[in-house]
Amino acid sequence: MKKCVFSGTFDPPTRGHEQIIKTCLEIFDEVVVALMLNPQKTPCLSEEERIFLLKKMFENDNRVKVKAFRGAAVDVLESENTRFYVRGVRNTVDFEYENSDFFASKKLKEDIVVIYIPSEQGNLHISSSLIRNSAKFNKTYDEYIPEAIAADLRKILEKKYV
């Protein structure tokens, strides 16, 4: 069985994240979506809210496993007994960042295999910060979020920004 890890902050999850996970499901038997908890970041959504939303996005697909993780990406790969690490990239800025991270990770885990999945053209402009800013200024953001979590995310963000 081939398994990969796709990690991120997911603050909040976007259509871009959803697309990457769906692409992973075409390649792998199982996708571990790892919510990386970084003590240096102050996310808008709580850990529980993000886990809830990620699980709801793929609640009918037992090939997707969602878990919160504290530590380095190589540690989550070790804990999941896989060497396949998926990264989504929207542009060259994302690619340069991810490539630098790859070289550092390779020193920590020699057998790591990083797979870059480019964003679909319609998702290139989507980011979690775009959604947060749209909510903050009471602008529409429905086209940026997965349909499965739209109502729940709207309620969460309304409580934070109203």
Side-chain angles (χ1 to χ4, degrees), residues 29 34 91 93 99 106-107 113 120 130 133 135 141 145 162:
D29 301 311
N91 52 39
V93 174
N99 223 31
K106 188 81 170 167
K107 288 184 178 190
V113 175
E120 292 181 4
L130 173 64
N133 286 336
Y141 52 86
I145 57 177
V162 171

Side-chain angles (χ1 to χ4, degrees), residues 95-122:
F95 178 78
E96 291 296 328
Y97 173 82
E98 295 299 342
N99 223 31
S100 294
D101 195 51
F102 163 71
F103 294 120
S105 296
K106 188 81 170 167
K107 288 184 178 190
L108 300 172
K109 182 171 175 53
E110 279 185 19
D111 69 339
I112 190 172
V113 175
V114 177
I115 300 165
Y116 300 116
I117 298 179
S119 179
E120 292 181 4
Q121 189 172 17

Side-chain angles (χ1 to χ4, degrees), residues 16-121:
H17 295 131
E18 179 184 47
Q19 175 242 317
I20 298 297
I21 296 166
K22 286 180 176 179
T23 302
C24 288
L25 289 169
E26 293 177 26
I27 303 166
F28 295 94
D29 301 311
E30 182 179 354
V31 179
V32 177
V33 179
L35 172 65
M36 301 303 274
L37 302 169
N38 182 342
Q40 294 176 328
K41 286 188 176 184
T42 307
C44 172
L45 276 65
S46 71
E47 174 184 339
E48 294 76 19
E49 290 167 332
R50 291 178 286 155
I51 290 287
F52 167 76
L53 293 169
L54 288 165
K55 284 183 175 180
K56 186 161 188 182
M57 282 170 54
F58 291 93
E59 66 185 345
N60 296 319
D61 195 328
N62 61 3
R63 299 172 300 157
V64 178
K65 176 178 157 185
V66 177
K67 68 185 282 186
F69 197 83
R70 288 172 176 78
V74 294
D75 297 328
V76 74
L77 291 169
E78 288 293 326
S79 75
E80 289 299 326
N81 195 30
T82 186
R83 59 194 201 123
F84 299 105
Y85 188 46
V86 171
R87 306 306 299 145
V89 291
R90 292 170 293 193
N91 52 39
T92 57
V93 174
D94 283 355
F95 178 78
E96 291 296 328
Y97 173 82
E98 295 299 342
N99 223 31
S100 294
D101 195 51
F102 163 71
F103 294 120
S105 296
K106 188 81 170 167
K107 288 184 178 190
L108 300 172
K109 182 171 175 53
E110 279 185 19
D111 69 339
I112 190 172
V113 175
V114 177
I115 300 165
Y116 300 116
I117 298 179
S119 179
E120 292 181 4
Q121 189 172 17

Side-chain angles (χ1 to χ4, degrees), residues 114-145:
V114 177
I115 300 165
Y116 300 116
I117 298 179
S119 179
E120 292 181 4
Q121 189 172 17
N123 294 335
L124 289 173
H125 65 293
I126 298 174
S127 68
S128 295
S129 56
L130 173 64
I131 295 166
R132 291 190 310 271
N133 286 336
S134 296
K136 191 183 303 181
F137 295 109
N138 198 28
K139 302 298 179 194
T140 185
Y141 52 86
D142 287 348
E143 68 185 90
Y144 311 135
I145 57 177

